[in-house]
Amino acid sequence: MPKFVFVTGGVVSSLGKGIAAASMGAILESRGLKVTIIKMDPYLNVDPGTMSPFQHGEVFVTEDGAETDLDLGHYERFIDAKTRKVNNFTTGQIYDTVLRKERRGEYLGKTVQVIPHITNEIQDFIMRGARVGTPDEVDVAIVEVGGTVGDIESLPFLEAIRQLSLRQGRTSSCFVHLTLVPFIKSAGELKTKPTQHSVQKLREIGISANLLLCRADRPIPDDEREKISLFSNVPYEAVISVADVDSIYRIPRMLWEQKVDEVICQTLALQAPAANLKVWDDLIDRLEHPQETVRVAMVGKYVDLTESYKSLTEALIHAGLHTRSRVQIEYIDSEQIDDQGPDMLQGFDAILVPGGFGKRGVEGKIKAIAFARQNKIPYLGICLGMQLAVVEYARHVAGLTKANSTEFDPSTPEPMIALITEWVGADGAVQSRSQASDLGGTMRLGAQRCQVKPGTRAHDIYGPEVYERHRHRYEVNNQLKDRVAKAGLVIASETPNESLVEMVELPASVHPWFMAVQFHPEFTSTPRKGHPLFESYIQAALAYKVARSGGTSQAGQQQGVAA
Ligand code: GLN
């Protein structure tokens, strides 16, 4: 039976429970343990796929095609093991499952109740997440409980983990509680009271914390840690100071230095070799010593909500780490480009159009892409950023002047991008609707293997095969794609069965670096390994920066900019 590390949060939300869980996972994995991380979300939506980015931030997509919480992205960036559908579940899913069982009569006429039926179902989901009874069963499952202790909606989850630890025995579970220790300016002091109350609240529910991760804007002095220990009944060495840092990738070392993994292993009676954080130390060294800075313009819709581009932002930072450069991302509102023209993109070393849904801001994105193409600025398009790159090329180079996506203009005469069920030719004739597959109208989700054409930049980067994750409905129209291909846009990769366009690029003779992909490469980038596509892109940005300044040194370029 796996061991469990339950991570709860107190006082306020947004303290970084996901990153704390992921960092503990990283340390335990470095001790040779097989780890997975599970997130339980207390909302009623069955999955976050239909939630607004304003509500939820990014929707992270797993290899097996689940639309999940963005914390799973953190998990995959910190630990080697991949997450799957079973790593994230919501109250909505639990109730859905229980209600279906009830309808099927599986409760044999009993009254169906929160306790035990909902709490049992939660425990079954946790076991499934830990791959219990399968060849993939883990040594340690870290289980993050969404929400904050004291919320009504997370109570069944807390009750379920209390029961689970009781059933599995004393050394089965380690309860980690993440709280805030605020610094009160007027008093000039860190205040421990909210933490004391939060730990008490947890105890009222029947859970005694084994480890406290105390978040503060500065290191917490030992006497304050002692005070927290005394009042919360958690041993002093298990009261951990988690101060603000400039990079989340410093957290594993910070926790390790305070022996968090030792406390966990002792609580769980686990024997494991010592931790080895060398890869993380290397990473921090790269972070601290960049040789260049590149500025990337990310042209999107949710510019005020950078959480909705979390994986993408991280992937660019990773690429910086692996090219010894600091990537400065500026989020630019595409509607502003539509109003004022693309001149504001001057001075950037690279342009990126990320994924997105809905019509707002689309024409501004197309203007940004045209600007990047015409001015030979490195361009990376992701998902919608690829669809619009194809539309831009169709309109301005291939002579399909009215080209559009049916997502934005359902009656466009040149549906360059459309649902598979809507594909028609430029003459307006609906051709072979029989080609329509199950994918039509539904979301294409998860990872798929595709061949990459030899002789393309995509092939230089990925080699013969690409295996990346998708989250989209619309596709490049197979009835029209020859038109853009004949006009010079290289289709570098297609899906094996339906020949759906996966990657496009411009040849090096025409543009130094112009690539766009239908999938989301950002989901597979990790700080330790980086990602070849993003690294190539940032390298191109570095080269462009040097070329633009006439090949001079960084100091020379800065003078040039000032002049
Ligand atoms: N809106 C587009 C589609 O559904 C692109 C989606 C995306 O960028 N993730 O196909």
Side-chain angles (χ1 to χ4, degrees):
M1 182 57 72
K3 304 277 186 175
F4 297 93
V5 176
F6 295 110
V7 186
T8 54
V11 186
V12 291
S13 61
S14 305
L15 290 178
K17 225 183 317 152
I19 289 169
S23 300
M24 289 187 284
I27 309 174
L28 293 176
E29 209 176 52
S30 88
R31 296 189 63 158
L33 295 164
K34 192 165 164 189
V35 177
T36 195
I37 314 181
I38 301 163
K39 171 90 190 267
M40 311 197 286
D41 277 311
Y43 48 75
L44 281 167
N45 304 62
V46 171
D47 65 49
T50 52
M51 288 164 83
S52 151
F54 289 105
Q55 289 274 311
H56 193 273
E58 170 183 275
V59 173
F60 184 79
V61 180
T62 59
E63 216 168 71
D64 61 343
E67 297 178 279
T68 67
D69 188 83
L70 87 174
D71 273 325
L72 271 76
H74 293 310
Y75 306 162
E76 289 206 6
R77 287 187 278 276
F78 278 80
I79 67 172
D80 270 333
K82 293 272 168 277
T83 58
R84 301 186 72 75
K85 229 172 223 152
V86 291
N87 286 76
N88 183 208
F89 56 88
T90 68
T91 298
Q93 273 169 50
I94 298 287
Y95 272 82
D96 188 48
T97 310
V98 169
L99 291 175
R100 280 168 203 267
K101 283 188 184 171
E102 188 274 333
R103 292 291 84 184
R104 288 196 300 265
E106 288 184 27
Y107 297 112
L108 306 173
K110 290 206 185 87
T111 309
V112 180
Q113 295 177 294
V114 173
I115 302 171
H117 300 101
I118 293 294
T119 48
N120 282 350
E121 198 61 52
I122 292 171
Q123 291 172 64
D124 288 350
F125 268 69
I126 292 174
M127 294 301 174
R128 216 171 300 152
R131 325 299 202 254
V132 172
T134 75
D136 295 331
E137 184 169 307
V138 297
D139 300 320
V140 181
I142 299 174
V143 184
E144 181 188 344
V145 186
T148 308
V149 169
D151 297 346
I152 291 175
E153 54 180 21
S154 50
L155 275 174
F157 287 121
L158 297 172
E159 174 61 15
I161 62 177
R162 186 192 68 77
Q163 289 178 9
L164 189 148
S165 75
L166 182 73
R167 283 179 178 157
Q168 301 297 327
R170 209 170 47 84
T171 59
S172 69
S173 308
C174 176
F175 291 99
V176 179
H177 191 53
L178 183 79
T179 72
L180 177 70
V181 179
F183 182 80
I184 303 297
K185 244 197 203 148
S186 55
E189 277 178 11
L190 285 164
K191 291 295 183 186
T192 64
K193 192 76 82 190
T195 296
Q196 296 173 31
H197 281 292
S198 180
V199 178
Q200 278 164 18
K201 185 89 210 158
L202 202 56
R203 246 196 335 257
E204 266 170 39
I205 302 166
I207 294 173
S208 297
N210 300 105
L211 182 70
L212 292 184
L213 301 178
C214 303
R215 291 279 292 108
D217 66 352
R218 63 202 67 207
I220 301 172
D222 293 347
D223 55 341
E224 297 298 327
R225 288 176 52 213
E226 252 161 40
K227 195 161 140 196
I228 295 171
S229 162
L230 191 65
F231 283 99
S232 60
N233 202 34
V234 174
Y236 170 70
E237 36 327 318
V239 178
I240 309 298
S241 158
V242 189
D244 284 354
V245 274
D246 58 355
S247 166
I248 52 174
Y249 301 125
R250 291 184 193 276
I251 312 273
R253 167 162 276 279
M254 180 193 276
L255 299 186
W256 174 79
E257 280 175 354
Q258 297 180 73
K259 301 197 166 55
V260 162
D261 54 317
E262 278 305 310
V263 176
I264 295 174
C265 286
Q266 271 167 23
T267 309
L268 298 175
L270 263 180
Q271 310 286 338
N276 178 354
L277 297 187
K278 188 178 174 312
V279 275
W280 295 99
D281 294 341
D282 287 351
L283 229 147
I284 295 304
D285 181 64
R286 287 164 183 272
L287 193 75
E288 285 171 350
H289 304 102
Q291 285 160 4
E292 280 286 352
T293 298
V294 282
R295 291 176 67 225
V296 176
M298 176 135 51
V299 180
K301 187 161 70 164
Y302 304 116
V303 287
D304 296 329
L305 199 83
T306 50
E307 283 290 283
S308 62
Y309 302 122
K310 192 76 204 162
S311 293
L312 190 47
T313 307
E314 291 302 315
L316 289 166
I317 293 171
H318 305 159
L321 294 175
H322 289 270
T323 53
R324 291 254 172 211
S325 51
R326 198 167 75 86
V327 180
Q328 216 173 55
I329 305 162
E330 272 170 62
Y331 302 90
I332 297 194
D333 182 356
S334 51
E335 280 184 305
Q336 216 179 331
I337 295 183
D338 197 22
D339 292 344
Q340 298 162 25
D343 278 352
M344 67 182 81
L345 296 174
Q346 228 125 32
F348 284 98
D349 305 313
I351 294 174
L352 192 153
V353 174
F357 293 83
K359 187 172 177 172
R360 189 161 65 79
V362 157
E363 291 302 320
K365 291 178 192 176
I366 292 176
K367 283 182 188 164
I369 296 166
F371 186 82
R373 184 177 57 76
Q374 286 155 357
N375 293 289
K376 300 193 192 314
I377 305 170
Y379 174 74
L380 175 60
I382 293 177
C383 207
L384 180 63
M386 183 195 92
Q387 296 173 358
L388 296 180
V390 175
V391 169
E392 192 278 324
Y393 205 81
R395 284 187 194 172
H396 302 140
V397 185
L400 295 162
T401 53
K402 296 196 177 70
N404 210 335
S405 165
T406 56
E407 183 179 4
F408 315 122
D409 179 5
S411 54
T412 172
E414 288 161 348
M416 195 62 235
I417 311 292
L419 299 176
I420 296 180
T421 48
E422 297 173 333
W423 283 349
V424 291
D427 54 2
V430 178
Q431 294 174 29
S432 64
R433 266 190 195 260
S434 59
Q435 278 203 1
S437 75
D438 287 348
L439 292 171
T442 59
M443 195 78 97
R444 181 170 162 216
L445 284 166
Q448 189 174 4
R449 264 175 228 290
C450 301
Q451 301 296 309
V452 182
K453 263 180 218 149
T456 58
R457 179 180 292 110
H459 195 277
D460 292 345
I461 292 171
Y462 274 102
E465 190 180 82
V466 49
Y467 184 60
E468 296 277 22
R469 304 176 196 177
H470 299 76
R471 180 174 184 250
H472 64 109
R473 279 194 186 85
Y474 294 81
E475 303 281 355
V476 174
N477 185 343
N478 275 1
Q479 313 296 333
L480 292 176
K481 71 180 174 195
D482 283 351
R483 301 278 296 270
V484 282
K486 281 204 183 93
L489 189 68
V490 177
I491 296 173
S493 174
E494 291 179 351
T495 62
N497 295 328
E498 293 160 305
S499 305
L500 303 173
V501 174
E502 287 281 278
M503 305 176 84
V504 299
E505 63 183 57
L506 287 175
S509 55
V510 177
H511 194 288
W513 207 99
F514 188 101
M515 295 201 67
V517 296
Q518 184 58 78
F519 45 77
H520 289 272
E522 67 271 26
F523 292 144
T524 53
S525 174
T526 69
R528 290 179 281 177
K529 299 200 182 105
H531 188 291
L533 182 63
F534 287 101
E535 279 170 44
S536 175
Y537 175 57
I538 294 303
Q539 232 129 29
L542 285 164
Y544 175 72
K545 180 178 174 177
V546 172
R548 192 156 48 100
S549 63
T552 51
S553 69
Q554 192 179 24
Q557 284 169 44
Q558 274 160 1
Q559 274 168 12
V561 172

